[in-house]
């Protein structure tokens, strides 16, 4: 009986003050389960935690013991500004949840400036590029896929998920509602578009 009580007490303490690693995994798992994030985003969060966050924190550190200097140390260990910015976002999401659940009294990220990331402007295809690409694939099945992609601006996952029911040739319209995706956990599957705003109806050339 005594051993059972001790085990239950230990379990309760772990729930009241979990390790950062256990809690971070719990947060992203719950977000996936309640559809706050999709499988691709989940895998991205998971990869960031495993590659850039967990290795730079003391083993079994409690979520309540992570301080601003830990966050700074993690960010300093990352070379790319884009990854630093993203890692800060992941940490902030986890600590915001911990704050909401009263597991911590303050979010350590609020005492660390969010790393800046200068967005790179995407290169726009030129008429010469277009003609060069189309001449390379002319006469092949790729000609149709490239032509469709260049005229609609659809993502490749969206194109791969298209069905005849999505296309209205009489009206000259195509509906984009799904996308082919691939994750380590699920393999290749048909899912939602990148965001709710990506669901759209486009005119066909």
């Amino acid at each position: 009986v005594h051993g059972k009580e001790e085990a239950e007490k230990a379990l309760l303490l772990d729930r009241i003050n979990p390790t950062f690693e256990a809690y971070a995994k719990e947060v992203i798992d719950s977000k996936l389960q309640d559809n706050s994030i999709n499988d691709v985003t989940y895998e991205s969060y998971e990869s960031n935690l495993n590659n850039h966050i967990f290795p730079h924190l003391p083993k079994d550190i409690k979520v309540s013991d992570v301080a601003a200097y830990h966050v700074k140390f993690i960010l300093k260990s990352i070379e790319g500004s884009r990854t630093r910015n993203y890692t800060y976002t992941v940490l902030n999401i986890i600590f915001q949840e911990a704050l909401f659940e009263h597991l911590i009294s303050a979010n350590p990220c609020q005492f660390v400036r969010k790393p800046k990331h200068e967005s790179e402007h995407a290169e726009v295809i030129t008429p010469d590029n277009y003609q060069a690409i189309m001449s390379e694939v002319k006469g092949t099945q790729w000609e149709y896929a490239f032509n469709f992609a260049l005229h609609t601006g659809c993502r490749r996952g969206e194109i791969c998920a298209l069905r005849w029911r999505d296309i209205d040739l009489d009206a000259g319209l195509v509906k984009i509602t799904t996308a082919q995706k691939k994750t380590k956990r699920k393999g290749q599957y048909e899912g939602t578009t990148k965001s709710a705003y990506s669901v759209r109806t486009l005119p066909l050339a």
Side-chain angles (χ1 to χ4, degrees):
V1 176
H2 181 71
K4 183 180 179 182
E5 289 178 350
E6 288 297 317
E8 289 176 349
K9 185 178 179 181
L11 187 64
L12 180 61
L13 288 173
D14 284 342
R15 181 56 254 173
I16 294 172
N17 192 16
T19 64
F20 175 82
E21 184 171 338
Y23 185 71
K25 289 177 179 178
E26 180 184 312
V27 168
I28 65 171
D29 283 347
S30 65
K31 286 188 175 295
L32 179 64
Q33 290 168 9
D34 65 17
N35 295 318
S36 296
I37 59 174
N38 59 35
D39 290 279
V40 175
T41 303
Y42 175 89
E43 201 161 275
S44 177
Y45 284 178
E46 185 179 48
S47 175
N48 187 269
L49 284 164
N50 290 331
N51 294 322
H52 301 292
I53 297 176
F54 293 155
H56 300 292
L57 284 173
K59 185 68 176 174
D60 296 329
I61 188 172
K62 300 292 186 180
V63 67
S64 60
D65 292 332
V66 180
Y69 65 84
H70 289 113
V71 175
K72 289 180 180 178
F73 179 75
I74 290 169
L75 298 177
K76 281 183 66 176
S77 68
I78 300 169
E79 292 184 7
S81 64
R82 185 188 184 96
T83 306
R84 271 198 303 274
N85 181 279
Y86 185 67
T87 301
Y88 180 95
T89 298
V90 173
L91 284 166
N92 191 50
I93 287 170
I94 292 163
F95 287 123
Q96 282 295 100
E97 288 293 324
L99 189 63
F100 178 77
E101 294 185 23
H102 296 283
L103 296 176
I104 56 176
S105 57
N107 179 347
C109 286
Q110 74 182 82
F111 305 111
V112 180
R113 291 185 178 87
K114 185 174 184 178
K116 293 182 179 179
H117 168 63
E118 295 295 332
S119 299
E120 297 177 3
H121 293 289
E123 292 186 20
V124 179
I125 191 168
T126 64
D128 288 342
N129 293 148
Y130 171 78
Q131 294 298 337
I133 291 170
M134 295 311 296
S135 64
E136 283 292 320
V137 296
K138 189 173 180 61
T140 71
Q141 288 189 337
W142 287 110
E143 180 179 1
Y144 304 104
F146 276 63
N147 194 48
F148 181 87
L150 290 165
H151 279 94
T152 62
C154 286
R155 299 178 177 90
R156 59 183 176 181
E158 294 170 342
I159 295 172
C160 290
L162 282 175
R163 301 290 183 269
W164 281 113
R165 64 176 179 267
D166 302 319
I167 300 170
D168 186 338
L169 293 177
D170 293 330
L173 298 172
V174 57
K175 292 181 179 179
I176 307 299
T177 58
T178 57
Q180 282 288 323
K181 298 182 177 183
K182 187 176 183 179
T183 62
K184 293 177 182 177
R185 188 180 303 271
K186 294 180 68 172
Q188 188 164 320
Y189 66 100
E190 187 173 296
T192 59
T193 53
K194 187 174 182 180
S195 71
Y197 299 105
S198 299
V199 175
R200 59 206 188 277
T201 299
L202 301 171
L204 293 170

